[in-house]
Amino acid sequence: MLEALKEEVCAQNHELPANGLVVGSGGNVSGRDPETGLIVIKPSGVKFAKLTPDTMVVVDIDGNVIEGATKPSVDTGVHLYIYRHREDVRGVAHTHSPYASSFAARGERIPAVLTPITHMLGRDVPCSRYATPGEVDTGAAIIEAADGGYAALVKAHGVFTMGKSATEATSIAMYLEEAAMTTHLAMLRGPVEELPQEEIDRCFAWFRKNYGQSGQKKVAE
C-alpha cells in the first residue's frame, strides 16, 4: 500500500538527522496521498537509522492505523490537524533544529532578512503562541501562526513546515534552519534589516518561476 509514498517519507525522515535537524528519535516527516487521503508517517520512538519504508505507518485522517505493525509518531495528531485544515498541504515536517528552535524558545519570529527565506516562503517565519502539548492546541497554534504560509515556529517547542509533498516540507525545514543560523549570527553583530515587502514578493515570484527543472530554460548566447 502506497509504496512510493512510503519510500519518499522514509527518505525524507532520514534527511532530518543527516542535516542536523533532530537527535535521537525526535522529529518526524509525513506525507498525504492525494487520491486516498491516507497519510504515511514514521513510527513513534524508533531511531532514524532503523527506519525503512516497511516501518512507515499508514493512517487515515482520523488517526486509525490502516497499515503498520508499530504505533505512529506521537505527533501524528498534529500532522492530521494540519491536513484537515490545509487542503493544499501534502507533506509536513517537524524538527527541533537548534537555531530555529532558539527563536521559538524566545517566542520570536525569524525575520525575512535573507533571500533564501523569501524564495522559499515569501515571508518571515512566524512564531505561534504557547500551545499545550497535544493534537488540537498545537495544531491550532500552527495553523493560526502560519496564516496560509508553509512554516511556523511553535513557542517553546520547535519547527513545523508544510509543502506540496513530504520532500518539499523537508526542504523548507532545511533551508529554514540555515537561515535561522545565519540570522542569529548576524544579530550577534548588531541589528538586522528586514527586506521590504515589495522585494520579498518579487523574490518569491522569481524563485517560483525560475527554480529547478520546471523553471524557464534559458539558452546561453
Side-chain angles (χ1 to χ4, degrees), residues 69-89:
T70 55
K71 184 175 75 171
S73 168
V74 69
D75 292 316
T76 297
V78 180
H79 289 239
L80 298 180
Y81 189 98
I82 294 170
Y83 288 129
R84 288 190 200 102
H85 291 82
R86 289 285 300 273
E87 286 295 324
D88 58 317
V89 170

Side-chain angles (χ1 to χ4, degrees), residues 8-200:
E8 179 188 7
V9 170
C10 181
Q12 296 312 306
N13 272 286
H14 282 296
E15 290 285 357
L16 301 188
N19 288 276
L21 305 186
V22 297
V23 296
S25 59
N28 34 73
V29 178
S30 70
R32 173 164 59 174
D33 177 55
E35 294 184 6
T36 64
L38 296 175
I39 293 95
V40 175
I41 194 166
K42 75 180 282 284
S44 179
V46 178
K47 296 291 183 68
F48 287 91
K50 295 185 176 181
L51 296 179
T52 67
D54 289 339
T55 62
M56 297 297 103
V57 185
V58 181
V59 300
D60 65 18
I61 197 64
D62 296 315
N64 300 306
V65 175
I66 304 302
E67 183 178 84
T70 55
K71 184 175 75 171
S73 168
V74 69
D75 292 316
T76 297
V78 180
H79 289 239
L80 298 180
Y81 189 98
I82 294 170
Y83 288 129
R84 288 190 200 102
H85 291 82
R86 289 285 300 273
E87 286 295 324
D88 58 317
V89 170
R90 294 286 180 265
V92 175
H94 170 45
T95 80
H96 305 131
S97 56
Y99 283 96
S101 294
S102 74
F103 283 83
R106 293 176 55 84
E108 295 177 350
R109 69 190 180 98
I110 303 172
V113 300
L114 295 166
T115 55
I117 281 290
T118 65
H119 288 163
M120 298 292 289
L121 299 175
R123 57 166 299 170
D124 63 347
V125 182
C127 185
S128 80
R129 58 177 172 78
Y130 177 77
T132 304
E135 167 183 347
V136 176
D137 202 34
T138 301
I142 294 164
I143 293 297
E144 291 164 9
D147 191 26
Y150 286 89
L153 308 178
V154 176
K155 185 178 181 180
H157 187 173
V159 182
F160 283 85
T161 58
M162 297 161 271
K164 296 177 182 177
S165 66
T167 300
E168 183 176 62
T170 306
S171 180
I172 290 172
M174 290 189 287
Y175 282 104
L176 188 155
E177 175 64 4
E178 180 191 48
M181 178 179 68
T182 309
T183 301
H184 165 76
L185 294 173
M187 292 172 76
L188 293 178
R189 298 169 60 186
V192 295
E193 183 178 352
E194 193 156 8
L195 293 167
Q197 189 59 52
E198 181 180 354
E199 182 61 13
I200 291 172

